[in-house]
Amino acid sequence: MKWDKVEKLALQGTQYNPEEPTFFYFLAIAQFQKDRLPESIKTLQTGINVAAADKNPNSGLISDMYAMIGDSYMKLEEADKAFAAYDSCLQWKEDNVECLNNYAYYISVSGGDLSKAEHMSYKTVKAEPTNSTFLDTYAWVLFCMERYAEAQIYIEQAIANDTTNSDDS
């Protein structure tokens, strides 16, 4: 939670070694956490350009950067840009479960293609069958599709697998 320190160190890293995309990633995380979203997006875009210029680009890192751009745009209430970023994320790593989960959820709450959301969310549950967040999203998408009996099964699994002990309704 020491985002000022993370930001300072990552910024120094980008200056000392501008060919290392990881510094841009951590700088963007600090900016995101401090709600400086346009700045975070710009940093991520720079990091993506740096990473993609590598002879053997780290597709997982690039994918994660696009996912964070998507999350940033959703916080800025720019769904079209967010969905484009999520699509780019999945081009780099089609099984990025965090992106698939968030994308599916945002599609469902925006009244988008529920079949697409269900397909993406199911992939996350298949990959991590005890992840309460993924189970919750899948239950929500099924609920939106009016598949109530299935939704109940998955929400009960989400509750059973929740290890946070929080009262998060």
Side-chain angles (χ1 to χ4, degrees), residues 34-82:
K34 295 167 74 174
D35 284 322
R36 296 193 344 247
L37 302 175
E39 194 175 347
S40 177
I41 291 167
K42 185 176 177 182
T43 300
L44 289 162
Q45 290 167 335
T46 301
I48 288 167
N49 291 335
V50 169
D54 194 324
K55 291 179 185 176
N56 296 307
N58 180 336
S59 60
L61 179 61
I62 295 172
S63 177
D64 288 345
M65 288 182 181
Y66 273 118
M68 193 185 311
I69 290 173
D71 293 344
S72 297
Y73 277 127
M74 284 309 300
K75 285 182 95 173
L76 292 169
E77 299 180 4
E78 296 185 46
D80 289 342
K81 289 180 180 179

Side-chain angles (χ1 to χ4, degrees), residues 49-152:
N49 291 335
V50 169
D54 194 324
K55 291 179 185 176
N56 296 307
N58 180 336
S59 60
L61 179 61
I62 295 172
S63 177
D64 288 345
M65 288 182 181
Y66 273 118
M68 193 185 311
I69 290 173
D71 293 344
S72 297
Y73 277 127
M74 284 309 300
K75 285 182 95 173
L76 292 169
E77 299 180 4
E78 296 185 46
D80 289 342
K81 289 180 180 179
F83 292 171
Y86 290 144
D87 286 335
S88 294
C89 166
L90 296 173
Q91 286 178 356
W92 282 94
K93 188 172 185 257
E94 66 183 24
D95 63 345
N96 185 320
V97 291
E98 296 294 332
C99 176
L100 287 166
N101 182 72
N102 290 353
Y103 197 0
Y105 176 75
Y106 290 132
I107 287 172
S108 71
V109 296
S110 68
D113 182 349
L114 291 176
S115 178
K116 180 178 179 178
E118 189 270 339
H119 178 73
M120 287 190 291
S121 186
Y122 181 73
K123 284 182 178 181
T124 68
V125 171
K126 196 88 162 135
E128 296 184 23
T130 60
N131 183 313
S132 61
T133 300
F134 297 166
L135 290 163
D136 176 74
T137 299
Y138 191 58
W140 170 252
V141 172
L142 292 172
F143 178 84
C144 291
M145 297 176 82
E146 299 180 4
R147 292 166 52 185
Y148 303 123
E150 290 172 89
Q152 182 174 357

